[in-house]
Protein backbone atom coordinates (compact mmCIF):
# COMPACT_ATOMS: atom_id res chain seq x y z
CA UNK A 1 0.00 0.00 0.00
CA UNK A 2 1.35 3.43 -0.98
CA UNK A 3 1.60 6.52 1.18
CA UNK A 4 -1.21 8.19 -0.79
CA UNK A 5 -3.60 5.24 -0.98
CA UNK A 6 -7.19 6.49 -1.20
CA UNK A 7 -6.16 10.11 -1.85
CA UNK A 8 -7.10 12.22 -4.86
CA UNK A 9 -4.51 14.50 -6.44
CA UNK A 10 -5.06 17.13 -9.11
CA UNK A 11 -1.87 18.03 -11.00
CA UNK A 12 -1.78 20.92 -13.49
CA UNK A 13 0.77 20.97 -16.27
CA UNK A 14 0.83 17.17 -16.20
CA UNK A 15 1.50 16.52 -19.88
CA UNK A 16 5.30 16.55 -19.55
CA UNK A 17 8.29 17.45 -17.42
CA UNK A 18 7.87 18.06 -13.70
CA UNK A 19 4.08 17.78 -13.84
CA UNK A 20 4.19 14.39 -15.54
CA UNK A 21 6.77 13.17 -13.01
CA UNK A 22 4.68 14.41 -10.07
CA UNK A 23 1.51 12.80 -11.46
CA UNK A 24 3.34 9.50 -12.02
CA UNK A 25 4.87 9.55 -8.53
CA UNK A 26 1.55 10.30 -6.84
CA UNK A 27 -0.08 7.47 -8.80
CA UNK A 28 2.75 5.08 -7.85
CA UNK A 29 2.06 5.94 -4.21
CA UNK A 30 -1.61 4.98 -4.59
CA UNK A 31 -3.36 8.28 -5.35
CA UNK A 32 -6.02 8.61 -8.00
CA UNK A 33 -4.63 11.37 -10.18
CA UNK A 34 -6.37 13.98 -12.29
CA UNK A 35 -3.89 15.18 -14.91
CA UNK A 36 -4.58 18.66 -16.28
CA UNK A 37 -3.16 20.53 -19.27
CA UNK A 38 -4.50 22.89 -21.92
CA UNK A 39 -4.97 20.13 -24.48
CA UNK A 40 -5.34 16.37 -24.37
CA UNK A 41 -3.10 15.69 -27.36
CA UNK A 42 0.29 17.01 -28.33
CA UNK A 43 -0.11 20.09 -30.49
CA UNK A 44 2.10 21.42 -33.23
CA UNK A 45 2.88 24.52 -31.14
CA UNK A 46 4.63 22.57 -28.40
CA UNK A 47 8.39 22.72 -28.07
CA UNK A 48 8.67 19.47 -26.10
CA UNK A 49 7.17 16.05 -26.68
CA UNK A 50 4.38 14.97 -24.41
CA UNK A 51 0.65 14.84 -24.12
CA UNK A 52 -1.92 14.46 -21.40
CA UNK A 53 -3.23 11.30 -23.04
CA UNK A 54 0.25 9.77 -22.89
CA UNK A 55 0.65 10.62 -19.20
CA UNK A 56 -2.71 9.06 -18.31
CA UNK A 57 -2.08 5.98 -20.47
CA UNK A 58 1.33 5.39 -18.86
CA UNK A 59 -0.12 5.74 -15.36
CA UNK A 60 -2.86 3.26 -16.28
CA UNK A 61 -0.33 0.80 -17.71
CA UNK A 62 1.48 0.94 -14.37
CA UNK A 63 -1.72 -0.20 -12.66
CA UNK A 64 -2.90 3.12 -11.21
CA UNK A 65 -5.96 5.28 -11.88
CA UNK A 66 -5.77 8.61 -13.68
CA UNK A 67 -7.98 10.82 -15.78
CA UNK A 68 -7.16 13.58 -18.25
CA UNK A 69 -8.89 16.93 -17.93
CA UNK A 70 -8.24 19.63 -20.52
CA UNK A 71 -8.42 23.18 -19.27
CA UNK A 72 -6.67 26.53 -19.31
CA UNK A 73 -5.66 27.54 -15.77
CA UNK A 74 -5.52 31.17 -16.83
CA UNK A 75 -9.32 31.09 -17.15
CA UNK A 76 -11.35 31.17 -13.93
CA UNK A 77 -14.25 29.24 -15.51
CA UNK A 78 -11.90 26.45 -16.57
CA UNK A 79 -10.45 26.17 -13.05
CA UNK A 80 -13.94 25.80 -11.57
CA UNK A 81 -14.90 23.22 -14.22
CA UNK A 82 -11.68 21.24 -13.70
CA UNK A 83 -12.33 20.96 -9.95
CA UNK A 84 -15.95 19.93 -10.57
CA UNK A 85 -14.94 17.26 -13.11
CA UNK A 86 -12.31 15.82 -10.79
CA UNK A 87 -14.70 15.71 -7.85
CA UNK A 88 -17.35 14.03 -10.02
CA UNK A 89 -14.87 11.39 -11.20
CA UNK A 90 -12.90 10.70 -8.01
CA UNK A 91 -14.56 12.46 -5.08
CA UNK A 92 -12.99 15.05 -2.77
CA UNK A 93 -9.60 16.45 -3.79
CA UNK A 94 -6.89 15.92 -1.19
CA UNK A 95 -3.92 17.45 -3.02
CA UNK A 96 -3.67 20.21 -5.62
CA UNK A 97 -0.32 20.61 -7.35
CA UNK A 98 -0.12 23.92 -9.23
CA UNK A 99 2.59 23.16 -11.76
CA UNK A 100 1.25 24.66 -15.01
CA UNK A 101 3.52 27.30 -16.43
CA UNK A 102 4.73 28.86 -19.66
CA UNK A 103 7.81 30.73 -20.77
CA UNK A 104 8.24 33.47 -23.31
CA UNK A 105 12.00 33.69 -23.04
CA UNK A 106 13.77 36.56 -24.66
CA UNK A 107 15.62 39.72 -23.95
CA UNK A 108 13.60 42.00 -21.74
CA UNK A 109 14.08 44.83 -24.21
CA UNK A 110 12.46 42.74 -26.93
CA UNK A 111 9.74 41.11 -24.84
CA UNK A 112 6.26 42.27 -25.74
CA UNK A 113 3.89 43.39 -23.01
CA UNK A 114 1.41 40.75 -24.21
CA UNK A 115 3.98 37.98 -23.67
CA UNK A 116 4.80 39.21 -20.16
CA UNK A 117 1.11 39.47 -19.31
CA UNK A 118 0.49 35.92 -20.57
CA UNK A 119 3.34 34.50 -18.46
CA UNK A 120 1.99 36.20 -15.33
CA UNK A 121 -1.57 35.14 -16.08
CA UNK A 122 -0.72 31.46 -16.51
CA UNK A 123 2.10 31.07 -13.98
CA UNK A 124 0.84 33.30 -11.18
CA UNK A 125 -2.87 33.95 -11.65
CA UNK A 126 -3.41 30.34 -12.80
CA UNK A 127 -2.06 28.99 -9.52
CA UNK A 128 -4.23 31.44 -7.57
CA UNK A 129 -7.35 30.57 -9.58
CA UNK A 130 -6.86 26.81 -9.21
CA UNK A 131 -6.21 27.17 -5.49
CA UNK A 132 -9.32 29.30 -5.05
CA UNK A 133 -11.44 26.80 -7.01
CA UNK A 134 -10.14 23.82 -4.99
CA UNK A 135 -10.01 25.48 -1.57
CA UNK A 136 -13.73 25.87 -0.87
CA UNK A 137 -14.49 22.16 -1.43
CA UNK A 138 -11.36 21.22 0.54
CA UNK A 139 -12.55 23.27 3.52
CA UNK A 140 -16.05 21.83 3.32
CA UNK A 141 -14.84 18.23 3.32
CA UNK A 142 -13.22 18.85 6.75
CA UNK A 143 -10.53 16.23 6.21
CA UNK A 144 -7.71 18.56 5.33
CA UNK A 145 -5.93 19.02 2.08
CA UNK A 146 -2.68 20.22 0.60
CA UNK A 147 -1.90 22.81 -2.04
CA UNK A 148 1.58 22.65 -3.54
CA UNK A 149 2.77 25.50 -5.78
CA UNK A 150 5.68 24.89 -8.12
CA UNK A 151 7.29 27.94 -9.69
Amino acid sequence: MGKLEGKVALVTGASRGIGKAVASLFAAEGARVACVARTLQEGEHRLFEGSLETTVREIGEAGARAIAVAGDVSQWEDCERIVQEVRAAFGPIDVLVNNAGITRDGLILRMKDEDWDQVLTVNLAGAFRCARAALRPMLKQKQGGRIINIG
Side-chain angles (χ1 to χ4, degrees), residues 93-144:
I93 297 167
D94 299 292
V95 182
L96 165 64
V97 179
N98 282 313
N99 173 69
I102 62 169
T103 60
R104 296 291 182 261
D105 292 340
L107 295 174
I108 196 163
L109 292 172
R110 293 185 186 160
M111 184 178 238
K112 297 177 187 172
D113 286 347
E114 298 81 30
D115 290 338
W116 175 246
D117 290 343
Q118 189 176 25
V119 168
L120 288 179
T121 300
V122 172
N123 298 10
L124 185 59
F128 167 77
R129 290 174 180 147
C130 284
R132 186 170 61 179
L135 191 56
R136 183 167 285 120
M138 279 183 173
L139 291 171
K140 285 182 181 178
Q141 68 200 32
K142 296 183 182 182
Q143 63 185 32

Side-chain angles (χ1 to χ4, degrees), residues 3 10 54 68 122 141:
K3 296 175 186 175
L10 188 165
T54 301
V122 172
Q141 68 200 32

Side-chain angles (χ1 to χ4, degrees), residues 1-10 26-33 64-65 86 89-95 141 143-144:
M1 179 166 7
K3 296 175 186 175
L4 298 173
E5 198 70 39
K7 301 293 185 185
V8 174
L10 188 165
F26 275 52
E29 287 294 334
R32 290 167 291 166
V33 182
R65 291 188 57 203
V86 173
F90 286 152
I93 297 167
D94 299 292
V95 182
Q141 68 200 32
Q143 63 185 32

